[in-house]
Amino acid sequence: MTKKVAIVGLGWLGESLAVSLLKKGYTVSGSSASLENVLTLSKHPFYVGKIQLLTTKIVGDWDTFIYEADYLIVNIPPKRIDRIEEIYLNQISQITKNTSKNTKVIFVSSTAVYGARATDITELDEPLPTKVSGVAVLNAENEIKRHFGKNATILRLAGLIGPDRHPGKFLAGKRVLKNAESQVNLIHREDCIGLIEAIIEKDFFGGIINGCASKHPKRADYYKNAAAFLNLDQPIFENSEITSEKKIIDNSKSKRALNYTYKFDDPEEIFKVNTGKISIIGGGPGDLKLLTVKALELIEEAEIILHDNLISSEILAINTTAEKIYVGRKFGDRHCQMERQDTINLLFKKYFQQGKKVVRIKSGDPYIYGRAGEEARYLTKEKIPFTVVPGISAALAAASNFNIPITERKKSNAVLICTAHTADYSFEQLKCIAELLKAGNSLALYMGLKSLDKLIPKLIEVTGDPTIPINAISNVSSSNEILLTSTLATIEQDIKNCPLPMPVVFLIGIEPII
């Protein structure tokens, strides 16, 4: 029987946890206090409700959210506001007042409940929080344990790091920091998720678990190295003879009781693992509806979008929060192409190291005159993983839109995709292209509007047939799409009589079905 998990708080940790649980076969429901976040989270295939915990009541449909839940995960940290000890306790009390004590609960807590001490800290040590946030969390823990008893597990997590929380950014550029010799306590998001799933799978309820990486490097060394890895200004720690406070979280119980193996057990390795994501996608000919589903999903989740000139505003509008960087070129642009490509490559590396989700959108298909090969070679050389998502090329979209069968039984068994640079090819290359056309096959010609005066006479000379049909399609798939059908003999004059806006693709050797 499928188990249901309800998660209060689909934030940085909660959303990824929900997705992971769903993939493992659980039924999931989640909540957020923000309507904007609820709308954003609605892209996921599970219930998301607007639930707001006030000090006196729950605003939202708690009964629907918690309905038939086998497990409840409470994942809402206290805010940094006055009287948070009292406010946070009252918020958590609304959960205990409105939830059956028979529900199994995981309360996501913090190692902030522990104070500094001479020995490594285990779950048996008495919590002695020194900050109000720690006091608030400890009060909430006690309320959860009071109501749910042996059905509650307290998961005390160390400092959270992972995608969008790279430790190199935490203290970069800051000056005169204290506790240079103290040791860090950190845990990666993947291990947070792994521990929660292990608690459920092992049915470990009625206890306390510390979640933290096993190794604890010195604070100053660690954050300097992490900042240097991202090429950021290193933090500066004060020179002090005062011994730094000692606080080392022991995670041995989590390994023993849950049989859990940490994926990121050494914080030094954590910041060296690039968690960024590079996707080179085909944006198609421009029509939003011609995007692949995979391309659409990647655009929706992107944080950085590098886009070319021909990417439509409708496609760019899919994602309203990502940073959009124009890296394309227009006809007549004299900017050095090598310099432009070097800039794009550096952006790839920069944002990948920062753990960003980067989408590089190219018009049409990335590997059909999209220069994706140059970028793929660079990423491969730098050992940066990437994905290429195909797109519908303009020639294929034009053929479909105007019923132009570029291959057809007993008429054309091949289509050659080429550019107007054909006009500058050697005679032997041009002769082969023209012979293919002469044999009844098709040509799809890109970027040829300004070079027809060079190409067309050569095609006529080699084929000896000025009546070969040619179709010029402007702005393929857009609302102002135009088809001009002509012949090799008359195409230049026809375009003079009816100027076509760029971009234009030519389909040569076949006539539309009308």
Side-chain angles (χ1 to χ4, degrees):
M1 182 177 178
T2 302
K3 298 289 188 177
K4 180 179 177 180
V5 183
I7 304 173
V8 185
L10 293 181
W12 180 79
L13 171 58
E15 181 181 2
S16 295
L17 171 63
V19 171
S20 180
L21 287 168
L22 193 71
K23 290 180 179 178
K24 289 183 179 294
Y26 291 92
T27 298
V28 177
S29 65
S31 78
S32 174
S34 163
L35 179 58
E36 182 180 357
N37 289 343
V38 170
L39 294 175
T40 300
L41 292 164
S42 65
K43 65 183 179 182
H44 294 301
F46 50 78
Y47 173 83
V48 180
K50 184 178 183 297
I51 302 291
Q52 188 173 9
L53 298 178
L54 303 182
T55 56
T56 56
K57 62 180 180 180
I58 296 178
V59 177
D61 191 352
W62 180 262
D63 291 339
T64 297
F65 165 72
I66 201 71
Y67 180 68
E68 293 188 340
D70 299 285
Y71 306 98
L72 174 65
I73 299 173
V74 182
N75 178 44
I76 46 171
K79 296 181 179 179
R80 295 181 179 181
I81 55 177
D82 291 339
R83 298 174 44 246
I84 188 56
E85 310 98 299
E86 174 187 347
I87 292 171
Y88 189 60
L89 174 60
N90 289 334
Q91 289 176 313
I92 298 301
S93 295
Q94 301 311 311
I95 293 177
T96 58
K97 290 177 182 177
N98 291 278
T99 307
S100 168
K101 62 177 61 179
N102 295 323
T103 306
K104 293 186 175 181
V105 176
I106 300 174
F107 180 72
V108 180
S109 183
S110 167
T111 55
V113 300
Y114 299 118
R117 62 195 69 194
T119 58
D120 292 1
I121 301 171
T122 73
E123 292 83 352
L124 296 175
D125 288 304
E126 179 185 1
L128 297 170
T130 57
K131 297 181 179 179
V132 292
S133 60
V135 174
V137 171
L138 183 59
N139 291 342
E141 283 187 6
N142 291 332
E143 173 62 15
I144 291 289
K145 288 189 288 186
R146 179 197 66 77
H147 180 72
F148 294 103
K150 292 184 178 180
N151 284 324
T153 286
I154 307 300
L155 178 60
R156 293 170 176 165
L157 297 178
L160 302 180
I161 62 176
D164 300 328
R165 291 193 180 184
H166 193 289
K169 301 178 185 178
F170 292 175
L171 303 177
K174 294 186 178 181
R175 297 175 176 273
V176 196
L177 298 170
K178 298 180 179 180
N179 297 319
E181 297 298 311
S182 63
Q183 292 170 293
V184 301
N185 297 283
L186 298 169
I187 183 170
H188 194 280
R189 185 170 68 183
E190 288 190 27
D191 285 316
C192 298
I193 294 171
L195 288 171
I196 292 171
E197 292 176 343
I199 290 170
I200 294 174
E201 291 164 7
K202 297 290 184 182
D203 197 33
F204 182 88
F205 288 91
I208 299 173
I209 290 288
N210 289 340
C212 184
S214 297
K215 295 187 178 181
H216 307 271
K218 290 183 179 179
R219 185 168 183 256
D221 294 339
Y222 180 74
Y223 286 110
K224 285 180 179 180
N225 291 338
F229 183 78
L230 296 182
N231 296 315
L232 299 175
D233 292 337
Q234 295 185 12
I236 297 176
F237 290 80
E238 66 180 8
N239 294 320
S240 174
E241 296 181 358
I242 300 176
T243 303
S244 297
E245 294 182 345
K246 181 178 180 181
K247 180 178 177 180
I248 296 179
I249 304 299
D250 186 309
N251 70 0
S252 57
K253 182 180 178 180
S254 66
K255 294 180 177 180
R256 182 179 66 256
L258 301 177
N259 193 28
Y260 184 73
T261 301
Y262 282 76
K263 297 179 181 178
F264 296 90
D265 213 17
D266 182 356
E268 291 285 358
E269 294 301 319
I270 290 174
F271 71 72
K272 294 178 183 178
V273 176
N274 293 306
T275 52
K277 182 178 181 180
I278 305 292
S279 302
I280 302 173
I281 72 172
D287 185 348
L288 176 64
K289 294 180 181 179
L290 292 181
L291 278 176
T292 64
V293 173
K294 187 172 184 179
L296 177 64
E297 291 174 346
L298 289 170
I299 294 172
E300 287 177 333
E301 69 178 29
E303 297 167 286
I304 305 293
I305 294 178
L306 309 178
H307 65 94
D308 283 343
N309 177 53
L310 295 177
I311 304 303
S312 69
S313 58
E314 291 79 12
I315 290 177
L316 292 177
I318 291 172
N319 187 322
T320 59
T321 59
E323 179 182 354
K324 299 178 179 69
I325 303 174
Y326 174 71
V327 293
R329 67 184 293 266
K330 300 178 181 180
F331 177 77
D333 186 346
R334 301 298 182 184
H335 189 275
C336 176
Q337 290 305 298
M338 292 301 296
E339 290 181 7
R340 188 193 308 277
Q341 193 59 60
D342 287 345
T343 298
I344 294 171
N345 293 343
L346 290 175
L347 290 173
F348 277 142
K349 188 172 184 178
K350 170 186 174 182
Y351 289 118
F352 178 74
Q353 288 182 337
Q354 292 181 8
K356 298 291 187 180
K357 295 176 182 177
V358 181
V359 164
R360 171 78 168 102
I361 311 180
K362 295 175 175 291
S363 59
D365 182 272
Y367 282 138
I368 299 180
Y369 305 121
R371 297 178 183 264
E374 297 175 36
E375 293 169 8
R377 288 188 181 91
Y378 169 80
L379 293 169
T380 300
K381 179 182 176 182
E382 294 293 321
K383 297 182 179 179
I384 297 175
F386 64 95
T387 299
V388 179
V389 179
I392 298 176
S393 191
L396 305 184
S400 297
N401 286 359
F402 290 106
N403 298 318
I404 303 172
I406 51 178
T407 64
E408 188 173 8
R409 187 173 53 183
K410 295 182 180 180
K411 291 186 178 181
S412 172
N413 61 9
V415 58
L416 175 66
I417 298 175
C418 55
T419 74
H421 297 298
T422 301
D424 298 320
Y425 290 165
S426 71
F427 180 78
E428 287 301 318
Q429 289 175 307
L430 182 56
K431 186 175 185 298
C432 291
I433 292 170
E435 288 293 346
L436 180 66
L437 183 61
K438 185 177 181 179
N441 295 298
S442 311
L443 298 184
L445 178 70
Y446 288 74
M447 297 170 279
L449 188 60
K450 301 298 182 180
S451 302
L452 290 181
D453 59 332
K454 297 179 181 179
L455 180 62
I456 296 299
K458 292 183 179 180
L459 289 179
I460 293 174
E461 177 186 349
V462 176
T463 64
D465 185 1
T467 67
I468 290 175
I470 179 170
N471 307 280
I473 303 94
S474 168
N475 290 317
V476 176
S477 82
S478 68
S479 59
N480 59 342
E481 181 180 54
I482 299 172
L483 167 67
L484 190 158
T485 297
S486 182
T487 66
L488 292 183
T490 59
I491 184 63
E492 292 182 77
Q493 186 59 48
D494 287 345
I495 289 179
K496 287 180 181 179
N497 295 337
C498 180
L500 298 176
M502 298 174 70
V504 176
V505 63
F506 295 89
L507 300 178
I508 308 173
I510 54 279
E511 294 180 342
I513 298 172
I514 56 175

